[in-house]
Amino acid sequence: MTKILGLYRAERFSPNSVEKDRLILQAVGAELQAMGYEVSYLTEEELTADTPCQVVMTMGRLKQTQQILAQKEAEGTVVVNSPESITACARAKIDAAMRQHHIPAAPLTGTDGWWIKRGDEAAQSHDDVRFAATEAERESIVADFKKRGIDNIVITAHVKGDLLKFYGVAGTPFFKVYYPSDDGQFKFGDEQFNGQAHHFGFNMVQLSEQASRLAALTGLMVYGGDCIVRKDGTFAIIDFNDWPSFSRCRQEAAHAIAAKVAMMAKEKGWLPNRQ
């Protein structure tokens, strides 16, 4: 019996997106159930080393979750996304990897302000990602981060241009982009610093390739991110993370993710309970 476990993300890692995150995981589960697999769900806080499963679809980000899943993976469990890849997605690590491998990132210097972001973990509140218009404001925000016990900080220059969000599933043709200003779906409202999108022309194939490179570097199978497209068509990836909500393309994404998970299970010889 092939049992697939869907692991919900702790709510503090889903600011303003708890329901959206649950819905994508459930949509993938529904696709797998239609294929004949047994699917169940837990919150990541409920996961234990004794939880029975052969495949885990995890949105979890707690350290204890990664420790348990790393052990399960070592024992042969298929885990999507892997604990190692989620750890590699800490913002400071992503920023360093992009610069080391020449993946277009936000510049470190500029004249249009700065973004100050916590570098150790994904954002858990609006206070973890802040904009500074002046150097004095930047230093004040950095001091605020340190007062909160956050010393791992990433500072990049603001990039003018169209903000777009991209979504992908490694090893599949699935890759989608959307402009938040077109549909008004904002997480914290910071997207509005870039204003209404002008839809500047850019090379979609190149963006897909760079996102795929970043996914390969981290090991992520299910990923998403933010990108700024400048007026001249060049772009900078400003955020990259594991298993987004895919709220703009939920059913298409669920189909692609489920197919990927099923393929990984079959490679282990784990077939659906009914075919």
Side-chain angles (χ1 to χ4, degrees):
M1 178 180 293
T2 302
K3 184 171 183 178
I4 298 176
L5 175 66
L7 206 58
Y8 295 120
R9 184 172 288 152
E11 291 191 4
R12 68 186 175 94
F13 292 109
S14 290
N16 301 330
S17 299
V18 172
E19 185 62 18
K20 290 177 181 178
D21 283 351
R22 283 180 170 269
L23 287 173
I24 180 58
L25 199 62
Q26 291 168 356
V28 177
E31 291 268 348
L32 289 163
Q33 286 175 321
M35 295 179 195
Y37 288 99
E38 178 186 351
V39 181
S40 59
Y41 304 91
L42 290 175
T43 65
E44 62 174 311
E45 295 93 336
E46 294 173 319
L47 178 71
T48 71
D50 298 324
T51 301
C53 51
Q54 289 170 290
V55 178
V56 180
M57 306 183 300
T58 177
M59 301 185 85
R61 288 177 177 167
L62 292 171
K63 290 181 180 179
Q64 68 190 44
T65 302
Q66 308 318 320
Q67 292 170 350
I68 294 172
L69 292 180
Q71 181 58 44
K72 285 187 172 294
E73 195 172 47
E75 294 167 354
T77 301
V78 170
V79 183
V80 181
N81 290 298
S82 73
E84 185 177 5
S85 69
I86 294 173
T87 301
C89 272
R91 195 182 301 276
K93 292 182 179 180
I94 285 287
D95 188 75
M98 290 175 65
R99 298 184 195 283
Q100 179 183 351
H101 295 275
H102 307 291
I103 294 172
L108 298 176
T109 60
T111 59
D112 298 302
W114 296 267
W115 287 97
I116 301 93
K117 306 174 183 180
R118 72 180 300 161
D120 57 338
E121 296 180 340
Q124 298 167 45
S125 74
H126 196 192
D127 289 337
D128 291 339
V129 179
R130 297 179 60 186
F131 176 77
T134 66
E135 290 186 11
E137 189 176 358
R138 180 189 66 194
E139 297 310 310
S140 175
I141 291 172
V142 168
D144 285 344
F145 270 71
K146 292 184 176 180
K147 285 179 182 177
R148 295 167 56 209
I150 302 171
D151 294 313
N152 190 336
I153 302 168
V154 174
I155 302 174
T156 55
H158 177 68
V159 181
K160 285 186 174 181
D162 290 344
L163 171 68
L164 61 81
K165 290 186 175 289
F166 61 84
Y167 305 93
V169 180
T172 78
F174 182 87
F175 187 78
K176 301 287 184 181
V177 300
Y178 297 90
Y179 296 86
S181 66
D182 286 357
D183 60 23
Q185 292 188 44
F186 302 117
K187 180 176 282 190
F188 295 130
D190 289 338
E191 296 90 341
Q192 297 179 61
F193 276 95
N194 285 83
Q196 189 68 34
H198 294 84
H199 297 270
F200 297 132
F202 71 100
N203 191 316
M204 176 78 81
V205 172
Q206 286 184 1
L207 176 58
S208 176
E209 289 174 346
Q210 295 296 344
S212 294
R213 286 183 63 207
L214 200 45
L217 285 170
T218 58
L220 284 184
M221 290 287 178
V222 182
Y223 62 88
D226 293 1
C227 174
I228 304 295
V229 177
R230 302 180 182 90
K231 188 175 182 179
D232 64 2
T234 61
F235 59 81
I237 295 174
I238 61 169
D239 196 16
F240 190 79
N241 46 61
D242 64 286
W243 209 312
S245 65
F246 294 94
S247 59
R248 297 172 172 88
C249 50
R250 185 178 298 125
Q251 289 309 128
E252 288 179 88
H255 185 74
I257 298 167
K260 183 71 175 180
V261 170
M263 182 189 73
M264 295 174 73
K266 288 176 181 177
E267 286 175 350
K268 287 274 195 176
W270 301 334
L271 301 176
N273 305 323
R274 64 179 190 278
Q275 298 188 63

